């Protein structure tokens, strides 16, 4: 038969398949807390802990850590983990009667095996779904029934995507209101070498001046002292430019109108138990949030808030923010 191999020539030896690490792995953290490790075949990784539903690591394909976690962070209950992306719900900061930043960041979340479908993005193949529901103790301090579903995903270029879906499941017909933030800690080379673009000319509340309202005057935001501001009606895209590392973080947000900017600087750092005295130089928080206007849900209603982070060489980033470009997928 034409094309058939002769009896004297053995068939070619098949190549051994190159084993890829699993895209998802459940592991223990340093203090025994369960975490899920997400891996992209090209080397991007992220880690999310069941405690707090909190992302505590995001690395690029060179294994550079892109999120800041304090060397003094405490990875155990009842406190929150200092760094990564804590989730502030159902209250941001002290904007209410609950503990600061609410209780979601120091509760144990569960793997959500059967989440309601999200819009399909076929490019995203690595993701984990978590769910938080209130305990009896939670209902005593915040008497509302809810389902909080969180998807953490790695995008096709190593982007980190967080999608929160919060549903009011009150059986008594009552609505509830909440404030929210992704309290994102970025790792930077030196805070004095960092600037933020996209928040110019916006109004903000200054938490260092009794939450008084001001208008931002600078061309870009730079850092020379403690900053704790809530920028109102911030655009869907914000850039954090690290001159020394020649890296630009691009933050895209949807469903979250505000943006919080925080760095404790030297004096405040010395008063924070789980934070090194000099660590303020290596971190910056830029946090997509809904603070000025709380979100209200009637029973059965659902809110969705998304965060997409990318880290690119500054040479790729033109410095021109396109207000029309929003989240993809």
């Amino acid at each position: 038969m034409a094309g058939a191999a002769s009896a004297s020539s053995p068939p070619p030896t098949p190549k051994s398949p190159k084993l890829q690490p699993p895209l998802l792995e459940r592991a223990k953290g340093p203090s025994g807390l369960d975490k899920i490790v997400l891996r992209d075949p090209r080397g991007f990784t992220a880690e999310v802990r069941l405690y707090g539903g909190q992302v505590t690591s995001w690395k690029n394909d060179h294994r550079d850590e892109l999120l800041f976690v304090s060397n003094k962070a405490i990875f155990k209950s009842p406190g929150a983990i200092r760094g990564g992306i804590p989730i502030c719900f159902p209250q941001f900061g002290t904007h209410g009667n609950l503990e600061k930043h609410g209780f979601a960041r120091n509760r144990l979340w569960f793997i959500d095996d059967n989440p309601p479908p999200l819009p399909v993005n076929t490019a995203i193949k690595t993701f984990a779904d978590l769910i938080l529901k209130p305990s009896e103790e939670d209902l005593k301090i915040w008497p509302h029934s809810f389902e909080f579903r969180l998807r953490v995903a790695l995008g096709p270029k190593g982007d980190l995507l967080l999608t929160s879906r919060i549903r009011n499941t009150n059986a008594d017909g009552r609505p509830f209101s909440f404030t929210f933030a992704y309290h994102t800690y970025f790792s930077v080379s030196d805070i004095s070498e960092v600037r933020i673009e996209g928040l110019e000319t916006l109004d903000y509340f200054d938490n260092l001046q009794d939450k008084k309202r001001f208008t931002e005057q600078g061309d870009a935001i730079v850092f020379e002292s403690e900053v704790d501001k809530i920028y109102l009606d911030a655009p869907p895209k914000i850039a954090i430019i690290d001159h020394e590392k020649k890296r630009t973080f691009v933050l895209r947000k949807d469903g979250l109108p505000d943006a919080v900017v925080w760095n404790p600087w030297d004096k405040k750092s010395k008063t924070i138990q789980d934070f090194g005295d000099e660590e303020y130089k290596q971190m910056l928080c830029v946090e997509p949030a809904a603070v000025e206007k709380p979100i209200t849900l009637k029973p059965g209603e659902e809110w969705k808030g998304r965060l997409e982070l990318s880290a690119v060489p500054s040479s790729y980033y033109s410095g021109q923010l396109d207000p029309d470009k929003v989240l993809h997928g």
Side-chain angles (χ1 to χ4, degrees):
M1 182 185 292
S6 67
S8 61
S9 57
T13 304
K15 290 182 179 178
S16 299
K18 186 177 180 181
L19 293 176
Q20 295 282 5
L23 296 181
L24 281 180
E25 176 192 351
R26 185 164 174 170
K28 294 278 188 181
S31 58
L33 289 175
D34 270 329
K35 64 181 178 180
I36 299 170
V37 182
L38 292 79
R39 290 191 179 90
D40 180 274
R42 284 154 300 180
F44 305 104
T45 63
E47 295 181 3
V48 56
R49 293 176 187 270
L50 297 186
Y51 183 68
Q54 186 162 332
V55 176
T56 52
S57 176
W58 172 40
K59 293 181 180 178
N60 63 17
D61 51 353
H62 299 294
R63 309 295 296 153
D64 297 326
E65 180 57 69
L66 303 172
L67 298 177
F68 168 87
V69 176
S70 173
N71 289 325
K72 290 190 170 184
I74 300 166
F75 289 85
K76 62 182 180 182
S77 179
I81 300 169
R82 174 72 64 185
I85 310 179
I87 289 174
C88 304
F89 170 85
Q91 175 183 302
F92 173 78
T94 56
H95 292 256
N97 300 318
L98 299 175
E99 62 189 284
K100 186 176 182 181
H101 292 325
F103 51 75
R105 63 183 186 149
N106 50 28
R107 296 293 187 269
L108 188 63
W109 294 54
F110 294 92
I111 294 172
D112 190 1
D113 292 319
N114 190 26
L118 279 165
V120 175
N121 183 339
T122 55
I124 294 175
K125 296 180 168 45
T126 310
F127 58 87
D129 289 296
L130 303 182
I131 188 168
L132 178 69
K133 296 180 181 180
S135 67
E136 292 299 320
E137 292 303 309
D138 295 335
L139 290 168
K140 290 177 184 176
I141 60 173
W142 198 65
H144 299 292
S145 182
F146 65 88
E147 290 179 349
F148 187 147
R149 286 183 159 88
L150 172 68
R151 173 168 289 187
V152 179
L154 282 174
K157 296 180 180 178
D159 297 354
L160 180 65
L161 301 97
L162 278 69
T163 304
S164 290
R165 293 181 288 173
I166 298 170
R167 180 176 294 275
N168 181 339
T169 56
N170 276 337
D172 57 9
R174 286 184 305 145
F176 63 65
S177 298
F178 63 91
T179 50
F180 181 96
Y182 290 116
H183 199 313
T184 311
Y185 286 77
F186 292 97
S187 174
V188 300
S189 58
D190 183 336
I191 187 63
S192 64
E193 295 290 326
V194 174
R195 78 175 192 270
I196 299 175
E197 292 185 359
L199 303 178
E200 308 82 30
T201 74
L202 295 185
D203 283 3
Y204 63 88
F205 294 129
D206 193 334
N207 289 326
L208 303 179
Q209 299 193 51
D210 298 323
K211 299 176 183 172
K212 289 180 181 175
R213 187 169 180 145
F214 300 92
T215 300
E216 185 60 54
Q217 303 295 332
D219 292 336
I221 295 164
V222 295
F223 298 90
E224 299 170 339
S225 60
E226 182 182 355
V227 175
D228 190 355
K229 298 176 179 179
I230 303 169
Y231 288 87
L232 310 176
D233 294 321
K237 183 177 172 185
I238 300 165
I240 300 107
I241 300 159
D242 187 334
H243 295 289
E244 192 168 311
K245 283 188 177 175
K246 298 181 172 57
R247 174 188 293 149
T248 295
F249 292 106
V250 181
L251 180 159
R252 295 182 177 91
K253 61 187 181 67
D254 186 47
L256 295 157
D258 306 322
V260 180
V261 176
W262 180 68
N263 183 288
W265 219 252
D266 53 351
K267 289 183 181 177
K268 176 71 70 64
S269 295
K270 292 178 172 64
T271 69
I272 302 173
Q273 179 186 357
D274 57 347
F275 191 79
D277 290 356
E278 299 292 317
E279 285 188 324
Y280 73 92
K281 296 175 182 176
Q282 274 75 56
M283 57 73 64
L284 174 63
C285 287
V286 182
E287 314 164 32
V291 180
E292 183 192 20
K293 299 170 185 172
I295 296 152
T296 299
L297 295 177
K298 296 175 183 174
E301 288 185 335
E302 182 179 270
W303 167 84
K304 183 164 73 171
R306 294 189 65 204
L307 165 65
E308 179 181 324
L309 300 177
S310 57
V312 298
S314 293
S315 57
Y316 292 179
Y317 175 72
S318 67
Q320 298 298 314
L321 290 176
D322 180 358
D324 297 321
K325 181 166 183 182
V326 293
L327 291 169
H328 19 264

